Amino acid sequence: MAAKLILSMDGVVLHEYTLNKERMTIGRKPHNDIPIDNLAVSGEHAAIVTILNDSFLEDLDSTNGVMVNGAQVKKHFLQNNDVVEIGKYKLKYMNEQQGQASAEDFEKTMVLRAPVKTQGGDTTMKTTQTVIPPAHAATEKPQAAPPQPTAAKSAAQPAPTEKAPAQPGAAVRLAAIQILSGPNAGKELELVKNLTTLGKPGVQVAVLTRRPHGYFITHVEGATYPTLNGKAIDQHQNQLNDHDIIELAGIKMEFYFKD
């Protein structure tokens, strides 16, 4: 079930919108995906970028700003039951599957934090990786172990082949990124799961998504867009090819296939 926004004013529900597009805009003009006809709302007030089961809210330099749960934001990673306020209107974000999806789809998050100067004057870049264990690991296991074959049956059965059972997403080649610049040059991150977040919060953030037909990079935060082979990407998904060079938050990294 896709996430949705429930539009209301003064406690009265006005409309329900399913977030079924990668990018949806909110604003006063009728061409917006979520139109709000009110003078307090800018022509294009805000946008919501949805990747897999997660949504990011962005204020499009609106006149009156955007509030989430009572605090003004420019960029915000939406979580289930968040309340977005635009003027007198409220948009409640509903995503019942977010908790499950986050555990299944997020494998690692690499955060390139602001440079920190050491006592000797050298500049280092802190890099953290967070591994989120699957929430439903127990349910993914077989309910019962298959019965062991008898000696007679084992003799009659051919030896198992080396070909392993197909795994979800097995059609996609395993890829990785390697940091090329800065103190962390040489570090590698395998893109094992469906969604990997890269960047420096508050400066520039992008996500790499693994899909059946390849890997893609999408900009989700920051006034400027990351570059791909020296050219700035746009707001849409951009497919990655072997040995592409990404520059994000001042750090260069290489995308490549491992097999």
Side-chain angles (χ1 to χ4, degrees), residues 57-59 62 65-69 71-76 84:
L57 172 70
E58 178 183 2
D59 180 5
S62 63
V66 179
M67 307 276 284
V68 177
N69 303 328
Q72 188 161 1
V73 300
K74 290 295 290 182
K75 309 275 187 179
H76 182 76
V84 180

Side-chain angles (χ1 to χ4, degrees), residues 63-174:
T63 301
N64 295 316
V66 179
M67 307 276 284
V68 177
N69 303 328
Q72 188 161 1
V73 300
K74 290 295 290 182
K75 309 275 187 179
H76 182 76
F77 173 65
L78 290 168
Q79 301 182 62
N80 190 34
N81 293 320
D82 274 353
V83 177
V84 180
E85 297 177 58
I86 297 178
K88 295 182 179 180
Y89 293 83
K90 292 184 178 181
L91 290 151
K92 187 172 184 179
Y93 177 72
M94 303 292 292
N95 188 352
E96 297 175 357
Q97 295 183 337
Q98 187 178 49
Q100 301 175 9
S102 293
E104 293 167 0
D105 294 334
F106 276 88
E107 198 269 339
K108 293 178 180 178
T109 300
M110 179 179 287
V111 181
L112 305 175
R113 299 192 183 279
V116 177
K117 288 193 175 181
T118 62
Q119 291 182 352
D122 297 331
T123 300
T124 61
M125 184 73 72
K126 291 185 178 179
T127 305
T128 63
Q129 295 187 22
T130 304
V131 180
I132 304 176
H136 302 287
T139 62
E140 294 175 357
K141 296 179 181 179
Q143 296 297 322
Q148 297 297 322
T150 63
K153 287 184 179 180
S154 298
Q157 291 176 347
T161 63
E162 295 181 358
K163 186 177 181 181
Q167 299 295 325
V172 183
R173 297 166 62 190
L174 178 62

